[in-house]
Amino acid sequence: MSAPSRQQPLDEALLSLSHAHQARYLEDLAELVAIDSGSYSADGVDRVADLVRAHLERLDFSVERVPLPPAHGHRTADALIGRKEGCLAVADGGRRLLLAAHMDTVFDDGAAAERPFSRTGPLAHGPGVSDDKGGLVAGLAALEILATAGIEDYAEIVFLATPDEEIGSPASRPVTRRAAEGAHYALALECARENGDLVIARKGVADFRLTVTGRAAHAGIEPERGANAALAAAHLVIAIQALNGTWDGVTLNVGVVRAGSRFNIVCPEAELLVEIRSATDSGMRAATAALEQAAAQPGVPGTRVTVEELASCPPMEDTAASRRMLDRAQAIGVRLGLTFGATATGGVGDANTIAGTGVPTLDGLGPVGGADHTPEEWLDVSSVPARVALLARLIADLGDSRGT
């Protein structure tokens, strides 16, 4: 029983500091929500980056601002990597921790003026208030109360803020992998689920283009000379969709089918856009192999199919290491008066990329929020003090391995 008696004063101190920080948290959140920062609104995301950088520098982080290439025909805002060394070397038991959040939202310019930050009882509303500005500000708040408490028993804290998570992080993914190098643990700052649960796993995703090539012919005079790519595509749709249920935690979806241009021509070409989601790498490999096998056996003589992988993101798997992180978070939560579980989701985030590098990762460490990507998006303000304290205490716990 001695451990809880040593831990409890720190838990109580961090919770008290978090309550005292609540007004500042809401001010910072309102400031960020007032900025239009859709993924393609690079100027707005850069304004968010300016504020995050200033906050980190006030906490004695060295901050690298990383220019990124355009994505999907649009300019990409900068990514940020902040670093702060602690006073406990790795050799002495200190650990390197990565905190990750994103600065972009799914909303177009004008949303911040149309739906400004507001509060109704315990709920705050506004574009991005939960996804992910609430989590981003929570990470900064946790770092601030740790600094106020004088807690530096870790090797290094790295704070990553990305500008394009909502469109799949096409430009920032290499930066995320670089930020994860050498990390012992990663804490992703998406908000907790509506019931308070953290996120223990996220499915990986891979997008494919299947191009079916047939042979054109006059549909009325000599259709027998043609090879109908549309018909081959139809066979492929049935074959691919039939693969669902073959592997646990794996789904395949033919999302787009395009074929032909005229009524009177045997269709010479068709295109399918296919998505695979899987909870595990092994499931992703198996489903990809099955997709390629189906493509190698088109159901119409004279047609052929080529398969092109357009993009992929690894799964954040439910591992023994991430479960140990969850156990530690839940133990802290009990001492703070919180009870929560963990859930798996089909949605993809930067935590996928981090986990794909082999770093044990736990997500959902922001406050409680919901209705993401909709005008009704909300954040439970009453959850902020305990959730920020939980995050701060987990950082302190994971950063020092001497007591484990």
Side-chain angles (χ1 to χ4, degrees):
M1 299 296 292
S2 60
S5 66
R6 289 196 302 270
Q7 293 166 340
Q8 196 66 33
L10 179 56
D11 299 330
E12 293 173 355
L14 293 177
L15 184 57
S16 177
L17 286 170
S18 187
H19 276 288
H21 191 81
Q22 174 84 329
R24 172 68 182 279
Y25 176 94
L26 292 172
E27 290 173 5
D28 291 342
L29 179 61
E31 186 174 23
L32 292 191
V33 170
I35 299 172
D36 283 316
S37 58
S39 307
Y40 297 125
S41 302
D43 289 344
V45 181
D46 276 335
R47 287 177 59 199
V48 174
D50 291 341
L51 295 172
V52 174
R53 178 176 187 168
H55 199 133
L56 290 171
E57 288 177 342
R58 286 196 299 271
L59 295 172
D60 296 324
F61 277 72
S62 62
V63 182
E64 177 187 6
R65 190 155 181 158
V66 186
L68 297 175
H72 305 164
H74 296 265
R75 184 173 81 82
T76 307
D78 297 339
L80 296 179
I81 302 177
R83 298 180 182 274
K84 183 176 183 179
E85 289 190 8
C87 63
L88 190 61
V90 171
D92 297 325
R95 293 293 177 260
R96 294 189 178 94
L97 307 182
L98 172 63
L99 276 63
H102 64 90
M103 301 178 287
D104 60 321
T105 75
V106 299
F107 300 105
D108 295 332
D109 286 351
E114 181 182 345
R115 294 183 286 107
F117 181 82
S118 64
R119 288 182 59 185
T120 305
L123 301 184
H125 298 275
V129 69
S130 168
D131 187 16
D132 181 33
K133 292 178 178 179
L136 177 65
V137 177
L140 297 173
L143 295 175
E144 186 153 336
I145 68 173
L146 284 172
T148 301
I151 296 173
E152 296 183 338
D153 288 340
Y154 50 81
E156 184 182 41
I157 294 176
V158 179
F159 192 96
L160 170 69
T162 57
D164 58 346
E165 189 269 353
E166 294 292 7
I167 55 172
S169 305
S172 68
R173 200 170 296 164
V175 177
T176 299
R177 287 193 287 263
R178 176 160 66 87
E181 291 176 1
H184 294 93
Y185 302 103
L187 303 174
L189 304 178
E190 297 282 357
C191 282
R193 305 297 93 174
E194 292 187 14
N195 65 356
D197 281 357
L198 305 187
V199 177
I200 194 69
R202 291 179 176 273
K203 284 188 175 182
V205 62
D207 297 331
F208 298 88
R209 178 190 291 121
L210 277 61
T211 302
V212 186
T213 303
R215 186 170 55 251
H218 193 295
I221 298 175
E222 47 187 12
E224 70 280 357
R225 292 193 175 187
N228 196 313
L231 180 58
H235 283 291
L236 270 175
V237 170
I238 294 170
I240 293 168
Q241 293 293 147
L243 292 170
N244 283 295
T246 305
W247 310 274
D248 288 341
V250 178
T251 58
L252 299 92
N253 182 59
V254 181
V256 177
V257 180
R258 302 187 183 100
S261 59
R262 296 178 66 93
F263 292 103
N264 59 353
I265 299 175
V266 174
C267 178
E269 188 170 88
E271 178 184 80
L272 284 70
L273 298 183
V274 182
E275 177 191 83
I276 299 175
R277 290 186 186 249
S278 174
T280 63
D281 279 322
S282 61
M284 185 68 75
R285 289 193 299 270
T288 300
L291 177 72
E292 292 171 342
Q293 183 177 8
Q297 301 171 333
V300 176
T303 62
R304 61 184 175 85
V305 183
T306 59
V307 179
E308 177 188 4
E309 183 175 300
L310 302 177
S312 66
C313 186
M316 171 187 161
E317 296 198 33
D318 184 343
T319 66
S322 59
R323 282 283 165 179
R324 287 192 291 271
M325 294 174 69
L326 174 64
D327 290 343
R328 294 166 82 163
Q330 288 176 323
I332 294 167
V334 168
R335 300 196 301 267
L336 293 172
L338 296 173
T339 302
F340 51 82
T343 188
T345 177
V348 174
D350 287 332
N352 292 68
T353 300
I354 297 166
T357 69
V359 179
T361 305
L362 189 62
D363 200 353
L365 285 156
V368 175
D372 296 352
H373 298 192
T374 76
E376 291 74 38
E377 184 176 2
W378 56 268
L379 185 82
D380 185 350
V381 171
S382 68
S383 75
V384 169
R387 292 286 168 159
V388 169
L390 168 67
L391 176 58
R393 186 65 178 90
L394 187 57
I395 294 169
D397 184 53
L398 294 174
D400 183 354
S401 70
R402 291 175 298 181
T404 58

